[in-house]
């Protein structure tokens, strides 16, 4: 890119909106190349073109190429590049210097470049420095004031940068026609289904009016639950007279909108956006309940994949290593878009955390990590190579894979990986009391997860034909033997998480998958996993994949059990109004009323239907 990195010629604090404008005379065609911190939107001749910076790091900065030809007119054209600088850290972006860089290119010649002569100002109508959180994970909400005075333009200032941006590896998002919500109560509107996109509204008032809009995936007593714990799912608009409202920066995931205002709402809704996934030609042909489960699972995947993977669109919009590993696995079955997984794993591989693990989400400036999730980064990298037959990614980032795994190897004492403690570590495996935020000195869950990742690392070594296989095999054997001595109960035929803690389906599924439990032990455990009266702490939706994989590994006879179990759980969600699949079977009631009704890891029927019903 020829343009300079620039910003407003004034002090900037968190949660600031800026605008950069100019004119240009293109020939037959034009495109813009652009990169920004944190989010950008582009308008040509006052028409919205595109929005959405690919999440990145200062050392791995991504730029986009956007064709603007269809927005051109003869003679002079105008452009407005708008940027929202979030500043404060959350789970969705890395905190960097506020800046933007762009070129406008026509007939392969740069005709406009950003520089200190570019006119800029605080973006009209957006309230700056409000810093109102939706959630800690998702970051700031917004406030629009269409009654404020216009801001004046000035020259920009140049920002130094030592890193050259790289072209986005994935396709641009697709913005769909606006979707109006239907009024179902005096101030509540229904989009009809889970929807993700950009908020819009047309409002009219006789004088100045303040409108508060709340959004949610569910209703409580026919109202949107705006405040849930410390979360605030709302934003504000001040207007006077007739006003069209639109925010190109903040995607919201919701089904319901509630409007508290004295103004008249002419129309309200969301401009949906989506990644342009290409469905495979050989999708399953199912009927009845299974067809609805299958199609809703595909929809759930789509609702959680934009610039990168989301865990859930309403509450977090964050890219976790374990959540996305599931999403990749299921996506391989139905989408012809390996570039998406490649880009996501490349982004994760560029993460730099002081612990040398993978950050809790990517990209983020947050120092927190989930050790077990870091291990699934290795699994996802190996699975990408296996599914796509593309070994370039594991070859390029093999040192990163080794670095992450070595953190755990260096923490082995007496042949067991010790747990990690301190403010930067969350020892989480899944959502039940014995496997969330554990404080044991060491436990079976972490050690079995470690073995899962070591096995993936051995496969990586085989694919790359390097000499580390023997080293990792020795580590695997040592830890496997110690797990059997320390955590196996001869009396119960099961593996403890740790002593005096109830047995869980997850830990015992891991035991089968790693061959820590083999032969008669694996068969006995599988029988208990398939027994609803076993007394084992059950897997939540997120971890049923491991249970099903363990049953498959133990015997081919569990296929019908798996199908029946999936159909029972997913029928329950559909019968309770699901238009996408939930984070847990408790639905919205979970997490003190903040349970997500759209979660990427819950699209698992895709994988198991394909595995069990393909060819039938």
């Amino acid at each position: 890119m020829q343009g300079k990195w620039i910003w407003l010629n004034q002090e900037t604090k968190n949660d600031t909106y800026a605008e950069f404008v100019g004119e240009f005379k293109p020939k037959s065609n034009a495109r813009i190349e652009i990169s920004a911190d944190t989010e950008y939107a582009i308008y040509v001749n006052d028409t919205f073109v595109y929005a959405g910076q690919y999440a990145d790091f200062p050392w791995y900065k991504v730029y986009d190429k956007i064709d603007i030809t269809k927005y051109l007119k003869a003679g002079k054209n105008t452009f407005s590049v708008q940027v929202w600088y979030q500043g404060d850290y959350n789970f969705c972006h890395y905190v960097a210097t506020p800046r933007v860089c762009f070129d406008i290119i026509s007939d392969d010649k740069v005709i406009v470049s950003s520089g200190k002569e570019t006119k800029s100002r605080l973006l009209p109508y957006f309230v700056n420095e409000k810093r109102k959180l939706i959630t800690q994970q998702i970051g700031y909400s917004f406030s629009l004031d269409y009654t404020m005075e216009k801001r004046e333009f000035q020259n920009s200032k140049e920002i130094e940068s030592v890193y050259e941006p790289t072209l986005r590896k994935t396709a641009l998002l697709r913005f769909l026609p606006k979707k109006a919500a239907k009024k179902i109560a005096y101030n509540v509107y229904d989009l009809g289904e889970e929807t993700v996109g950009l908020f819009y509204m047309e409002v009219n008032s006789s004088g100045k009016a303040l409108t508060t809009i709340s959004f949610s995936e569910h209703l409580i007593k026919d109202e949107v639950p705006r405040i849930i714990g410390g979360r605030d799912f709302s934003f504000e608009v001040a207007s006077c007279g007739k006003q069209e409202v639109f925010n190109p920066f903040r995607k919201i995931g919701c089904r319901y909108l509630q409007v508290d205002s004295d103004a008249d709402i002419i129309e309200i809704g969301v401009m949906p956006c989506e990644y342009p996934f290409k469905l495979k030609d050989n999708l399953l042909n199912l009927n009845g309940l299974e067809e609805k489960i299958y199609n809703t699972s595909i929809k759930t995947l789509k609702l959680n994949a934009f610039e990168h993977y989301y865990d859930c669109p309403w509450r977090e919009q964050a890219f976790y290593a374990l959540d996305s590993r599931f999403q990749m696995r299921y996506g391989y079955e139905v989408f012809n878009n390996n570039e998406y997984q490649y880009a996501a794993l490349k982004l994760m591989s560029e993460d730099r955390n002081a612990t040398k693990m993978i950050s809790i989400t990517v990209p983020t400036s947050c120092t927190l990590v989930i050790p077990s999730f870091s291990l699934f980064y290795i699994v996802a990298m190996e699975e990408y190579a296996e599914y796509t037959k593309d070994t370039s990614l594991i070859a390029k980032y093999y040192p990163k894979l080794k670095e992450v795994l070595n953190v755990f190897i260096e923490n082995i004492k007496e042949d067991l990986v010790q747990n990690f403690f301190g403010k930067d570590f969350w020892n989480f495996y899944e959502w039940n009391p014995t496997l969330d935020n554990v404080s044991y000195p060491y436990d079976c869950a972490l050690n079995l997860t470690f073995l899962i990742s070591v096995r993936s690392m051995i496969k990586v070594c085989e694919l790359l034909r390097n000499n580390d296989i023997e080293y990792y095999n020795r580590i695997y054997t040592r830890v496997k033997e110690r797990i059997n001595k320390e955590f196996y109960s001869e009396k119960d035929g099961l593996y403890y998480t740790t002593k005096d803690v109830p047995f869980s389906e997850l830990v015992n599924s891991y035991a089968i998958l790693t061959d820590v439990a083999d032969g008669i032990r694996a068969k006995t455990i599988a029988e208990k996993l398939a027994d609803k009266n076993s007394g084992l702490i059950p897997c939540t939706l997120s971890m049923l994949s491991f249970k099903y994989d363990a049953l498959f590994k133990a015997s081919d006879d569990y296929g019908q059990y798996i199908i029946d179990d999936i159909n029972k759980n997913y029928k329950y969600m559909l019968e309770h109004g699901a238009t996408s699949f939930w984070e847990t079977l408790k639905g919205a009631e979970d997490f003190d009323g903040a349970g997500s009704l759209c979660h990427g890891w819950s699209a698992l029927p895709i994988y198991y239907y394909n595995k069990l019903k393909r060819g039938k």
Side-chain angles (χ1 to χ4, degrees):
M1 296 178 69
Q2 292 185 22
K4 303 293 185 181
W5 290 100
I6 59 172
W7 191 247
L8 300 174
N9 196 9
Q10 64 184 69
E11 182 183 359
T12 298
K13 296 182 179 179
N14 301 347
D15 196 17
T16 293
Y17 298 84
E19 181 180 29
F20 304 83
V21 301
E23 296 179 340
F24 64 105
K25 286 185 177 181
K27 292 186 179 179
S28 60
N29 59 67
R31 72 176 187 268
I32 187 167
E33 298 184 359
I34 184 170
S35 184
D37 280 303
T38 310
E39 297 283 349
Y40 73 77
I42 299 169
Y43 288 77
V44 172
N45 296 321
D46 297 321
T47 300
F48 172 70
V49 175
Y50 189 79
Q53 171 66 35
Y54 190 87
D56 52 20
F57 299 99
W59 55 89
Y60 174 54
K61 199 80 192 84
V62 174
Y63 76 93
D64 294 331
K65 287 184 178 182
I66 302 163
D67 191 337
I68 58 175
T69 302
K70 70 178 182 179
Y71 303 97
L72 303 179
K73 63 183 182 180
K76 279 187 179 181
N77 289 256
T78 62
F79 71 86
S80 170
V81 170
Q82 302 176 2
V83 182
W84 176 29
Y85 175 66
Q86 294 188 49
D88 195 11
Y89 85 81
N90 54 43
F91 280 18
C92 299
H93 75 274
Y94 190 92
V95 178
T97 302
R99 57 181 180 159
V100 65
C101 178
F102 58 85
D103 293 321
I104 296 178
I105 299 166
S106 182
D107 286 357
D108 294 324
K109 292 183 179 180
V110 176
I111 57 175
V112 175
S113 285
S114 54
K116 61 185 179 181
E117 299 301 320
T118 302
K119 298 300 181 183
S120 60
R121 65 177 175 177
L122 291 171
L123 180 61
Y125 313 132
F126 282 82
V127 178
N128 292 294
E129 301 178 28
K130 188 162 185 177
R131 302 174 195 157
K132 171 188 168 184
L133 288 175
I134 299 174
T135 67
Q136 178 185 359
Q137 292 85 0
I138 206 170
Y140 293 137
S141 181
F142 61 92
S143 183
L144 294 167
D145 185 353
Y146 290 92
T147 69
M148 68 170 56
E149 294 182 3
K150 288 287 184 76
R151 290 144 172 172
E152 297 299 321
F153 286 103
Q154 59 183 341
N155 288 342
S156 302
K157 66 178 179 181
E158 292 186 8
I159 306 294
E160 291 186 7
S161 177
V162 297
Y163 298 102
E164 287 294 322
T166 184
L167 181 63
R168 182 193 289 235
K169 305 296 182 184
T170 57
L172 297 173
L173 299 185
R174 182 162 51 208
F175 290 91
L176 306 178
K178 291 177 178 177
K179 182 176 183 177
K182 181 180 179 182
K183 192 173 186 178
I184 59 172
Y186 81 96
N187 66 342
V188 177
Y189 296 77
D190 183 4
L191 288 160
E193 61 183 352
E194 181 82 22
T195 307
V196 183
L198 305 175
F199 173 79
Y200 80 93
M201 177 175 69
E202 189 173 354
V203 61
N204 192 23
S205 63
S206 57
K208 184 173 181 178
L210 179 63
T211 303
T212 299
I213 301 97
S214 307
F215 60 98
S216 70
E217 296 176 321
H218 66 287
L219 298 176
I220 298 178
K221 296 181 179 179
D222 298 323
E223 291 190 341
V224 167
R226 170 187 166 184
I227 305 295
I228 304 176
R231 310 170 186 91
D232 186 341
F233 297 95
S234 71
F235 45 90
E236 299 83 28
V237 176
S239 60
C240 185
K242 193 171 183 179
Q243 183 65 57
E244 292 184 358
V245 178
F246 181 63
N247 181 357
F249 301 110
R250 165 59 73 200
K251 296 183 190 70
I252 60 171
C254 64
R255 174 172 175 172
Y256 300 101
L257 298 162
Q258 181 168 318
V259 179
D260 294 294
S261 176
D262 294 329
D264 295 324
I265 306 302
I266 300 170
E267 184 171 297
I268 187 171
V270 169
M271 177 190 284
C273 59
E274 64 181 17
Y275 189 80
F277 285 110
K278 297 177 182 177
L279 289 171
K280 290 189 172 181
D281 295 331
N282 62 338
L283 294 186
L284 287 175
N285 184 17
L286 302 171
N287 296 298
L289 173 66
E290 291 178 347
E291 179 184 26
K292 191 165 186 180
I293 291 173
Y294 188 63
N295 290 337
T296 305
S297 295
I298 295 173
K299 178 184 173 184
T300 301
L301 280 184
K302 289 182 176 180
L303 287 168
N304 285 283
F306 295 92
E307 281 83 11
H308 56 62
Y309 289 104
Y310 287 4
D311 60 328
C312 56
W314 170 58
R315 195 188 66 218
E316 295 196 6
Q317 300 183 8
F319 177 24
Y320 290 85
L322 178 58
D323 300 56
S324 61
R325 178 263 172 173
F326 288 130
Q327 291 165 277
M328 291 178 205
R329 192 187 199 205
Y330 309 150
Y332 292 131
E333 301 290 331
V334 291
F335 300 138
N336 282 315
N337 292 95
N338 294 337
E339 83 285 346
Y340 195 87
Q341 290 92 339
Y342 178 97
L345 289 168
K346 180 176 175 60
L347 179 63
M348 190 169 289
S349 298
E350 289 290 340
D351 180 53
R352 298 177 185 177
N353 188 287
T355 68
K356 297 185 178 180
M357 297 185 195
I358 301 297
S359 298
I360 185 168
T361 58
V362 178
T364 184
S365 297
C366 178
T367 58
L368 184 65
V369 300
I370 302 176
S372 66
F373 280 29
S374 291
L375 291 167
F376 282 108
Y377 156 71
I378 298 170
V379 176
M381 289 284 278
E382 176 263 314
E383 287 177 342
Y384 171 83
E386 290 280 4
Y387 271 104
T388 67
K389 309 306 178 187
D390 173 13
T391 59
S392 64
L393 202 61
I394 57 173
K396 177 177 177 62
Y397 289 105
Y398 185 68
K400 179 72 173 185
L401 295 169
K402 290 184 69 172
E403 179 181 71
V404 172
L405 195 55
N406 281 345
V407 177
F408 296 85
I409 292 171
E410 291 169 2
N411 205 39
I412 290 175
K413 184 178 180 181
E414 297 179 358
D415 295 334
L416 284 178
V417 180
Q418 309 298 291
N419 272 327
F420 298 84
F421 296 104
K423 64 179 180 63
D424 291 333
F425 300 100
W426 177 17
N427 294 315
F428 172 85
Y429 306 107
E430 75 157 324
W431 292 117
N432 73 57
T434 64
L435 292 169
D436 171 22
N437 204 24
V438 302
S439 56
Y440 326 123
Y442 52 87
D443 64 64
C444 195
L446 180 62
N447 279 274
L448 289 171
T449 307
F450 172 72
L451 290 190
I452 289 172
S453 69
V454 172
R455 283 195 140 185
S456 284
M457 194 64 165
I458 291 169
K459 290 181 182 178
V460 166
C461 294
E462 291 171 349
L463 289 168
L464 296 179
R465 299 180 182 179
N466 68 29
N467 297 321
D468 292 335
I469 296 174
E470 186 177 346
Y471 169 70
Y472 290 118
N473 271 320
R474 287 198 303 270
I475 292 171
Y476 171 84
T477 300
R478 285 166 46 204
V479 175
K480 173 184 174 181
E481 290 176 354
R482 182 63 198 280
I483 289 173
N484 272 313
K485 290 178 182 177
E486 185 67 28
F487 295 108
Y488 183 68
S489 169
E490 292 283 354
K491 173 186 173 185
D492 300 285
L494 293 165
Y495 288 81
Y496 296 103
T497 301
T498 191
K499 297 291 178 65
D500 302 321
V501 170
F503 298 108
S504 73
E505 288 185 346
L506 179 62
V507 166
N508 283 278
S509 297
Y510 282 171
I512 294 175
L513 292 173
T514 55
D515 288 322
V516 167
D518 54 13
I520 191 64
R521 284 190 182 182
K523 182 179 178 182
T524 300
I525 291 172
E527 290 171 355
K528 293 179 185 290
L529 290 174
D531 179 4
K532 65 180 180 180
N533 298 313
S534 67
L536 274 65
I537 296 174
C539 287
T540 57
L541 281 179
S542 61
M543 298 299 178
L544 279 174
S545 181
F546 294 113
K547 175 180 174 179
Y548 297 156
D549 287 350
L551 290 173
F552 268 129
K553 186 174 176 64
S555 172
D556 293 337
D557 296 335
Y558 288 108
Q560 193 58 49
Y561 167 87
I562 292 168
I563 292 296
D564 291 344
D565 198 53
I566 289 172
N567 291 348
K568 177 190 70 174
N569 290 327
Y570 284 77
K571 180 183 179 183
Y572 173 84
M573 287 186 273
L574 290 172
E575 287 179 341
H576 286 77
T579 63
S580 56
F581 290 130
W582 307 345
E583 185 172 8
T584 73
L585 278 177
K586 293 181 180 179
E589 296 179 1
D590 213 350
F591 311 107
D592 298 320
S596 169
L597 300 186
C598 181
H599 211 286
W601 65 25
S602 294
L604 68 82
I606 291 169
Y607 182 84
Y608 296 97
Y609 280 177
N610 275 10
K611 191 176 184 71
L612 289 165
K613 293 181 171 291
R614 179 70 61 192
K616 288 191 176 182

